[in-house]
Amino acid sequence: MIKLHDLYFKPFISEQEIDTAVQNMVDAIALELGDEIPVFIGILNGSFMLVSDFVKKYPKPCEVTFIKLASYEGVKSTEDIQRLIGLTQDLTGRTVVILEDIIDSGNTLEEVHRIFKNENVKQLLIATLFYKPEAYDKDFKLHYVGIEIPNKFIVGYGLDYDGLGRDLPNVYQLKTTQHMINLVLFGPPGAGKGTQANFLKEKYDLVHISTGDVFRYNIKNETALGMLAKSFMDKGELVPDQVTINMLNKEVEKNADAKGFIFDGFPRTNAQAKALDDLMGVKDSQINAMVALEVDDEVLVKRLLERGKTSGRADDADESIIRNRIKEYYTKTAILKNYYTAQDKYFGVDGEGSIEDITVRLNAVIDKL
Ligand code: IMP
Ligand code: MG
């Protein structure tokens, strides 16, 4: 992922794919023109990289020149095309091939046709590396198209966003959801996960998705997914990952404008972690970190026994039960620790000391994501 000015872009078309597309255009044009010496005309600024690669590959003699037009502002095409550098040579009787980096609305192309209307060229051929069929609303024929792309804003390989990105050899696409912070939060019982989740939620404007709460909500409200989950639970079977993922997906969709999510109680297995990655991928996003509060067993036992005195929770009153829960936590999370470590996304945070100190440590980790 890259950031240009205020926007985030994700990898879209590789240097290799571009190279192949350029070569295919060269081959097609060379085949059609044979021994005729064409004049290739690049439309500046965007086409400089294409023109350079194109003419290096072109197998026969050719001429190269540029005209400079400007229409784009930010990420939108405008009607108003400015001619910044026009034609400087006589093209009477010549075969002219326009080399465009991208054809979007076709406004620029319309202007190109206007420029050539009185030039008496032999033929005017249009070649564009990228083409957005959904955006194009003109009737001019496009003789050669490298790669058709969806109607989304791209940068790289000559194309810019407000001046940046032209130098990139690969092409990137504007992310539909901008930068999110998505965390999976872990901590053994007594680590203060709930308390810290509340602070994180506030500070980073995140939505806290506790899988336990999501299940209870769906079952209580008898949603289709809730009933489905219940049917497995009633048979004493594990709820299939896909059902859980679908519930989480609903929560993610309910909060389409969220700055990010804290997943709590999920994932529990490699397969679930993978499914969560896929879910985030569909949203053009990702899990940024597994944050695990690390607290010494003896401290946890002390904290929970203390809590048991006031909470009345039976499982907080018995030391051997407490130790078992802690042990179970480590057995279960070990797999996930490995999963996220392999992606460089595991962050253990010292969960001992005052609540404020722990919050400061968590913030330090998240601020660097
Ligand atoms: P059109 O006039 O709408 O066809 O747009 C053509 C010009 O707009 C191109 O030559 C580019 O300079 C610019 N443009 C169109 N789409 C994009 C894009 O996705 N990224 C960057 N520039 C673009
Ligand atoms: Mg252009």
Side-chain angles (χ1 to χ4, degrees):
M1 198 175 63
I2 56 160
K3 187 180 187 207
L4 301 175
H5 299 295
D6 54 330
L7 296 181
Y8 291 84
F9 295 82
K10 60 177 177 175
F12 181 43
I13 301 172
S14 70
E15 199 174 352
Q16 189 55 54
E17 289 169 276
I18 294 168
D19 191 71
T20 306
V22 174
Q23 186 64 57
N24 290 341
M25 287 168 72
V26 165
D27 293 346
I29 294 172
L31 184 69
E32 179 159 327
L33 299 187
D35 287 329
E36 187 170 356
I37 298 180
V39 183
F40 291 117
I41 301 188
I43 313 294
L44 290 174
N45 290 330
S47 72
F48 75 95
M49 212 178 266
L50 167 68
V51 173
S52 167
D53 286 345
F54 186 98
V55 296
K56 276 181 274 179
K57 291 181 191 295
Y58 200 73
K60 302 248 165 94
C62 61
E63 290 179 33
V64 190
T65 186
F66 291 92
I67 55 182
K68 179 161 174 156
L69 303 174
S71 70
Y72 243 66
E73 270 169 29
V75 297
K76 285 236 162 53
S77 186
T78 63
E79 290 281 329
D80 177 31
I81 315 275
Q82 292 173 288
R83 275 187 217 180
L84 303 171
I85 301 174
L87 279 176
T88 50
Q89 88 201 74
D90 181 20
L91 295 168
T92 308
R94 302 297 302 272
T95 285
V96 170
V97 183
I98 299 295
L99 293 179
E100 257 289 32
D101 47 349
I102 188 163
I103 291 181
D104 180 303
S105 68
N107 289 337
T108 307
L109 186 58
E110 188 169 50
E111 184 67 14
V112 167
H113 276 89
R114 226 174 275 136
I115 292 173
F116 280 91
K117 223 172 108 195
N118 302 315
E119 287 297 321
N120 295 317
V121 296
K122 180 175 158 199
Q123 55 176 340
L124 179 67
L125 298 173
I126 309 298
T128 183
L129 177 58
F130 299 114
Y131 170 47
K132 297 179 186 171
E134 295 154 41
Y136 189 61
D137 62 6
K138 301 288 186 287
D139 293 321
F140 305 109
K141 184 170 159 66
L142 308 181
H143 302 85
Y144 306 96
V145 171
I147 304 175
E148 287 194 7
I149 60 168
N151 192 8
K152 296 221 180 112
F153 190 74
I154 60 172
V155 292
Y157 199 74
L159 295 160
D160 71 312
Y161 165 50
D162 275 351
L164 293 182
R166 293 196 197 277
D167 53 322
L168 303 167
N170 300 297
V171 163
Y172 296 78
Q173 188 181 63
L174 182 65
K175 274 163 55 82
T176 45
T177 47
Q178 285 298 303
H179 190 55
M180 295 172 100
I181 298 174
N182 299 306
L183 310 172
V184 292
L185 184 61
F186 281 85
K193 198 168 52 129
T195 310
Q196 296 299 337
N198 279 334
F199 285 122
L200 294 182
K201 200 170 103 171
E202 281 294 315
K203 178 159 163 79
Y204 297 98
D205 203 4
L206 306 178
V207 175
H208 183 191
I209 299 186
S210 148
T211 317
D213 291 346
V214 173
F215 261 90
R216 280 186 287 277
Y217 169 88
N218 277 277
I219 291 172
K220 181 160 161 266
N221 291 283
E222 302 189 350
T223 67
L225 285 169
M227 302 308 285
L228 185 58
K230 196 166 175 297
S231 72
F232 289 98
M233 290 154 88
D234 287 347
K235 284 183 281 181
E237 289 171 21
L238 281 176
V239 178
D241 285 349
Q242 197 52 50
V243 177
T244 311
I245 275 285
N246 289 349
M247 280 189 203
L248 295 184
N249 190 24
K250 282 251 153 65
E251 292 305 306
V252 169
E253 266 164 13
K254 269 190 217 165
N255 297 285
D257 296 331
K259 300 242 172 72
F261 296 93
I262 303 172
F263 293 97
D264 176 355
F266 192 90
R268 300 236 186 239
T269 62
N270 262 328
Q272 291 182 352
K274 179 81 191 50
L276 187 59
D277 281 346
D278 293 344
L279 170 64
M280 291 288 106
V282 170
K283 311 280 170 220
D284 263 4
S285 200
Q286 57 177 338
I287 294 294
N288 304 86
M290 167 177 178
V291 179
L293 290 169
E294 295 173 339
V295 184
D296 185 78
D297 288 7
E298 299 315 310
V299 177
L300 291 174
V301 172
K302 242 213 240 137
R303 276 191 199 168
L304 289 173
L305 284 173
E306 201 56 41
R307 186 168 90 180
K309 283 185 200 157
T310 49
S311 75
R313 273 177 64 167
D315 58 351
D316 281 353
D318 180 319
E319 182 166 336
S320 70
I321 293 179
I322 291 175
R323 287 194 187 276
N324 239 328
R325 282 162 57 207
I326 298 172
K327 212 173 103 197
E328 194 184 273
Y329 167 81
Y330 285 110
T331 327
K332 285 197 170 150
T333 51
I335 317 159
L336 296 158
K337 185 173 174 179
N338 291 339
Y339 182 90
Y340 289 108
T341 302
Q343 299 183 23
D344 266 338
K345 289 181 180 170
Y346 176 84
F347 298 89
V349 173
D350 179 1
E352 291 182 31
S354 73
I355 291 179
E356 298 77 38
D357 286 349
I358 301 166
T359 306
V360 168
R361 287 178 209 138
L362 282 169
N363 291 344
V365 167
I366 293 166
D367 288 340
K368 278 195 225 115
L369 292 176

